[in-house]
Amino acid sequence: MARLVLKFGGTSVANVERIRNVARHVKREVDAGHEVAVVVSAMSGKTNELVAWVSEAAEPVAGVNAPGSPFDQAEYDAVVASGELVTAGLLAIVLKSMGIDARSWAGWQIPIHTDDAHGSARIAGIDGTAIVEGFARGQVAVVAGFQGVNPATGRVSTLGRGGSDTSAVALAAALKADRCDIYTDVDGVYTTDPRIAPKARRLDRISFEEMLEMASLGAKVLQVRSVEVAMVHGVKTYVRSSFDDPADPKLGTLICAEEDIVEQEVVTGIAFSRDEAQITLRKVADKPGVAASIFVPLAQASINVDMIIQVVSDDARHTDITFTVPSAEYKRAMAILQAASDEIGYGQIQGAEDVVKVSAIGVGMRSHHGVAARAFKGLAEKGINIRAITTSEIKFSVLIDEAYLELAVRTLHTLYGLDRKADTIAAE
Ligand code: ADP
Ligand code: ASP
Ligand code: MG
C-alpha cells in the first residue's frame, strides 16, 4: 500500500465527462489499496474568465470610482479561488457515485497556510491531520488546488497562475506521500513544448535543477515553485497524461536527482518565453552610479529585470543599456524610466514588445565548452538576429524577434540532437 497525491490540471477536468475519466484514474489507485489525495485545478479557461471579471469590476466608471483606484488583492483571491472549489466538489460527487468514499476540501479547511502575498502567495505550512484521519476511514480527499488561507487575517489566498502543481507537491510533502503524480494533457516532460516542435521527445527522467530552469524559462508544464518544493523535500514527482486509458496507465516523466539519471545529454531541453519586453536607453552617461539610477527605481516598483547588456559607445563618455522586463510590467517600467529621465540622463528611450526569449538547458553545460557558441552560429545561419544573450552554469538564453520563435526553437532542438528519430514520427 502506498500514499499518493494525484493532481489533475484544467484540461483534464474541463467538463463533467473528463471529470468522470479522472475518477477512473482515482478508482484504479484506490482499488490497488492506496491512500489517495487528489488535487484539482479549475476547469480550463475558468481562471482566465474569473481574472477578466475582476478586471472588469475594477474598471473606472465615470461618477462611480476614480480611474486606477486599486482593488483589494484579497478580493481578487476570493474570486479566482472559486474555480477550484467547483471541480473539487464535482469530482467528489462523481467518486461517491462510483461507490468511493470521498469529500472535497477547500484550502482553508485543511488548512493550507500561506503568507500574505495575495495573488502569488507562498505556502507556509499544511496540517495534513484531517486528511490522514480520512485515509484511516478509507476516504479519498479531493483538495481544491491553487489556494490557501492567510492565518493572520483568515483571508483566502492563491498561489499564482499554475499554482495547483505547487498545492499538489506541497501536500505530498506534508502527507509524506510515496509519490506525487501530476496528470496533465501531455504524457510527460518533453525536450521542448510539443505544441511548437513536433519532433520534441518525451524524457523518461529530468533532474530537479534542469526542470527548475525549464519552468523558470517558460515551460509551463510545471509551476516553478512546485519544482522547488519537490527538490527541497525530495518528493518523487511524475508528470503523466490524464488522457491515457485509466486501465493501462503509464508513468510519464520522473523529476529526480541528477545522480539518478544515467544517460545525460549536454543539452536536455529548449524552453521559450513570450512574456518578455525589451527596453533600451541610448546615450546614457558612462559614469559610476548610472546603473543604480536605472535599476533601483525599477526594483522599488517590484519590476524584475532579466537580461542586461551595456555597450560602450564610440566617444567613451556615453553608453547604451538594454534590458528586459516581463511583458506585463512593460508599460509601468517605461513610465518609471520616463519620469526619472532627468536623474538618469539619457538621450533616448526605446522599447520593443515583439520579442521572445529562447533558452537551452542542460547540466552537461557544466563540463562542456562552446555549447552556446554553436547556437549563435546555428541561429545566424537561419538569419535570426540575437538582441541579447545571458548565460549561467546550466543554461543560456537569447532574446530574438517574436516572428522567429518557432524557427529558433526547432533549429536549436535539431542542433543539439534532441529530435525524435524520423521513423518514430513516421509511424504515428
Ligand atoms: P495543466 O492545465 O494540466 O496544468 P498546463 O497547460 O499548465 O497543464 O501544462 C501543460 C502544457 O505545458 C502542455 O500542453 C504543453 O503545451 C506545455 N509545455 C511547455 N513546455 C513543455 C515541455 N517541455 N514538456 C511538456 N509540455 C510542455
Ligand atoms: N487554475 C489556476 C490557473 O489557471 C491554477 C492551476 O491551474 O494550476 O492558474
Ligand atoms: Mg499548469
Side-chain angles (χ1 to χ4, degrees):
M1 186 195 76
R3 181 171 290 178
L4 308 178
V5 173
L6 318 180
K7 180 257 170 178
F8 293 88
T11 333
S12 310
V13 294
N15 52 47
V16 174
E17 191 42 46
R18 291 208 182 150
I19 291 176
R20 285 195 219 286
N21 184 58
V22 163
R24 287 193 273 272
H25 283 285
V26 175
K27 183 173 189 314
R28 181 190 66 238
E29 304 295 8
V30 171
D31 288 349
H34 302 317
E35 293 175 335
V36 180
V38 188
V39 174
V40 286
S41 290
M43 292 178 177
S44 63
K46 183 45 88 178
T47 309
N48 287 345
E49 183 182 42
L50 296 169
V51 169
W53 283 344
V54 171
S55 305
E56 191 186 335
E59 264 169 24
V61 177
V64 177
N65 56 358
S69 51
F71 58 90
D72 186 347
Q73 288 294 319
E75 300 303 354
Y76 167 95
D77 280 351
V79 176
V80 301
S82 65
E84 273 68 12
L85 299 176
V86 173
T87 39
L90 292 174
L91 179 58
I93 290 171
V94 172
L95 286 169
K96 281 203 142 185
S97 75
M98 292 163 71
I100 297 168
D101 185 16
R103 72 152 277 190
S104 66
W105 294 87
W108 62 268
Q109 291 173 318
I110 293 174
I112 295 177
H113 284 160
T114 73
D115 64 13
D116 61 359
H118 283 283
S120 59
R122 276 179 180 273
I123 294 177
I126 300 178
D127 182 354
T129 316
I131 289 181
V132 172
E133 283 168 8
F135 287 159
R137 297 192 301 275
Q139 189 176 64
V140 170
V142 185
V143 177
F146 183 49
Q147 58 180 270
V149 61
N150 171 3
T153 58
R155 304 299 307 265
V156 169
S157 53
T158 65
L159 309 178
R161 300 306 304 269
S164 298
D165 298 329
T166 305
S167 308
V169 178
L171 185 64
L175 297 176
K176 298 194 169 44
D178 297 279
R179 219 171 68 211
C180 181
D181 290 351
I182 308 282
Y183 284 85
T184 181
D185 56 3
V186 274
D187 60 355
V189 177
Y190 277 67
T191 46
T192 193
D193 189 339
R195 285 191 223 183
I196 288 276
K199 291 181 186 167
R201 193 157 39 85
R202 190 180 63 77
L203 298 161
D204 280 333
R205 292 174 174 225
I206 183 169
S207 68
F208 289 120
E209 289 84 352
E210 288 168 323
M211 193 62 237
L212 203 53
E213 292 286 5
M214 291 273 281
S216 309
L217 294 166
K220 294 214 167 83
V221 61
L222 286 177
Q223 198 198 32
V224 179
R225 280 184 198 160
S226 71
V227 188
E228 284 169 1
V229 175
M231 185 157 109
V232 169
H233 296 278
V235 178
K236 196 171 179 190
T237 304
Y238 284 89
V239 173
R240 54 191 294 186
S241 172
S242 70
F243 296 111
D244 280 348
D245 180 357
D248 180 22
K250 311 201 175 50
L251 266 178
T253 302
L254 173 66
I255 324 292
C256 63
E258 210 177 304
E259 312 70 272
D260 296 333
I261 299 178
V262 186
E263 276 177 49
Q264 192 73 62
E265 309 282 346
V266 178
V267 170
T268 302
I270 312 291
F272 56 86
S273 163
R274 291 189 172 89
D275 179 29
E276 310 288 327
Q278 177 184 334
I279 297 176
T280 300
L281 297 178
R282 299 220 180 271
K283 271 187 119 24
V284 183
D286 197 2
K287 59 171 197 245
V290 69
S293 69
I294 298 168
F295 297 118
V296 170
L298 295 176
Q300 279 167 348
S302 304
I303 296 177
N304 265 331
V305 172
D306 181 17
M307 307 169 115
I308 303 179
I309 44 174
Q310 180 170 344
V311 192
V312 183
S313 56
D314 295 342
D315 62 7
R317 283 186 299 122
H318 292 99
T319 177
D320 289 350
I321 297 184
T322 291
F323 54 90
T324 60
V325 295
S327 308
E329 306 288 11
Y330 173 69
K331 288 202 172 68
R332 219 155 57 89
M334 288 293 269
I336 289 169
L337 294 168
Q338 276 155 354
S341 74
D342 287 346
E343 291 99 278
I344 305 168
Y346 53 79
Q348 209 189 346
I349 184 165
Q350 294 169 333
E353 288 184 275
D354 53 350
V355 293
V356 292
K357 183 169 69 176
V358 177
S359 310
I361 297 105
V363 291
M365 286 190 206
R366 287 197 198 112
S367 47
H368 287 76
H369 301 288
V371 181
R374 283 176 62 197
F376 305 153
K377 188 160 172 281
L379 294 173
E381 280 165 9
K382 300 277 180 184
I384 302 174
N385 183 41
I386 299 173
R387 290 165 166 260
I389 301 169
T390 51
T391 62
S392 71
E393 204 189 18
I394 66 162
K395 58 106 179 165
F396 69 84
S397 305
V398 294
L399 190 73
I400 60 165
D401 290 349
E402 188 172 19
Y404 292 107
L405 172 65
E406 291 187 10
L407 180 61
V409 169
R410 291 176 190 171
T411 300
L412 297 186
H413 199 266
T414 306
L415 185 78
Y416 293 114
L418 299 174
D419 289 356
R420 274 191 294 161
K421 305 264 178 311
D423 53 337
T424 62
I425 299 172
E428 277 176 5

